[in-house]
Amino acid sequence: MLGINALEVNYQHLRALRGVSLKVEKSDLTALIGSNGSGKTTLLNAVSGLVPRSSGTITWEGRDITNLMPDAICRLGIVQVPEGRKLFPKMTVQENLEMGAYLPEARAKSVQTIRRVFDLFPRLAERRNQASGLLSGGEQQMLALGRSLMSCPRLLMLDEPSLGLAPIVASEIFRIVSDLNRDGLTVLLVSQEVLYTLSISKYAYLLESGKITLAGPAAALVEDPRVKSSYLGI
Ligand code: ATP
């Protein structure tokens, strides 16, 4: 569905991505793991068209989208939930959700989709008239996820959805992501919570200093000695 081929991204003299190739298959939950500064966010931003790509190609359902603008990429159904959630803190939960349905096709289905989001996240339904800035960290992450669902994504790219959350809340977020995938949503999940991430993913890539150094079924990566010692503390 999504193909990244020999992608290079440079920030002035820094080579943030060095010939990265990666595939996301339809209906799969694919993970991208790696430590701080390895280039994970840069990769998502490159797919979304938010950073200039120096070379390489990005394809979507066989079509070259490397040079599309972010709005055109979003219209294809490729939706990124950024690290840090980027909500509108003074707007209510409901208003934040409605902001997610800005494309005409999504707007037409917004009443239905909001109902589905409230079913998935009953806590958001209870707080629908509350300013989003007053929500807990976990609720804000749920709202960011809910807002992205409002745009009816075909590929959801999640950047560190559990960052800064207590372990019990983080595990709830991972469970919800896993449920969404089981319902058919294709997901590219970026996370440093390696064990949780690999436990819900089908295929995974390890990114180190801008390069993919390991790729394979998630179940095999969990058993890899390098992943065990560097990322699982075993
Ligand atoms: P983290 O998990 O800490 O966010 P990451 O794996 O997502 O890390 P990136 O944020 O993609 O990594 O950063 C990759 C490298 O590129 C880092 O060395 C970072 O300092 C650098 N970098 C990221 N954005 C920019 C930018 N806009 N200008 C210059 N350098 C940048």
Side-chain angles (χ1 to χ4, degrees):
M1 195 177 203
L2 178 77
I4 299 176
N5 262 298
L7 186 67
E8 303 262 339
V9 172
N10 301 324
Y11 297 115
Q12 282 118 19
H13 298 298
L14 179 88
R15 292 181 67 205
L17 294 182
R18 306 162 184 233
V20 168
S21 297
L22 174 156
K23 269 195 294 191
V24 177
E25 302 290 357
K26 190 169 165 28
S27 305
D28 276 3
L29 200 167
T30 303
L32 180 65
I33 57 171
S35 53
N36 276 329
S38 56
K40 304 179 301 300
T41 300
T42 298
L43 186 130
L44 297 192
N45 285 342
V47 173
S48 294
L50 299 171
V51 293
R53 291 127 293 189
S54 310
S55 63
T57 56
I58 303 172
T59 59
W60 173 252
E61 297 183 324
R63 171 186 167 197
D64 190 335
I65 60 162
T66 317
N67 297 313
L68 290 189
M69 298 299 282
D71 62 319
I73 292 171
C74 195
R75 276 201 300 276
L76 294 172
I78 302 175
V79 173
Q80 183 175 354
V81 182
E83 187 179 320
R85 298 148 206 158
K86 308 274 191 300
L87 298 170
F88 304 104
K90 293 200 171 136
M91 291 169 74
T92 65
V93 166
Q94 172 116 10
E95 286 164 346
N96 267 277
L97 289 174
E98 283 162 359
M99 292 296 283
Y102 50 88
L103 294 173
E105 314 86 76
R107 193 167 295 274
K109 291 190 225 158
S110 70
V111 173
Q112 241 170 289
T113 322
I114 217 163
R115 218 175 289 138
R116 180 169 164 244
V117 169
F118 284 148
D119 283 346
L120 270 170
F121 305 105
R123 264 190 275 168
L124 295 184
E126 288 162 20
R127 291 161 176 70
R128 70 175 76 194
N129 297 317
Q130 188 173 313
S132 70
L134 300 174
L135 299 176
S136 71
E139 289 161 354
Q140 290 193 15
Q141 186 59 54
M142 289 173 195
L143 181 53
L145 257 174
R147 186 178 59 181
S148 69
L149 296 177
M150 291 299 294
S151 64
C152 304
R154 299 189 54 218
L155 168 65
L156 192 63
M157 302 194 295
L158 295 169
D159 196 354
E160 302 281 4
S162 65
L163 197 73
L165 302 181
I168 190 158
V169 185
S171 71
E172 198 181 343
I173 296 288
F174 282 107
R175 181 190 55 76
I176 291 164
V177 172
S178 176
D179 287 351
L180 287 170
N181 171 250
R182 212 167 301 127
D183 285 349
L185 184 62
T186 311
V187 179
L188 175 56
L189 172 61
V190 161
S191 176
Q192 288 184 49
E193 288 283 355
V194 174
L195 194 56
Y196 271 135
T197 301
L198 294 180
S199 71
I200 62 169
S201 305
K202 179 159 182 200
Y203 205 84
Y205 293 85
L206 173 63
L207 188 64
E208 293 180 304
S209 305
K211 282 187 182 165
I212 300 290
T213 53
L214 200 60
L221 258 73
V222 177
E223 297 302 330
D224 185 274
R226 201 147 36 111
V227 172
K228 275 185 166 169
S229 69
S230 303
Y231 298 92
L232 299 176
I234 301 171

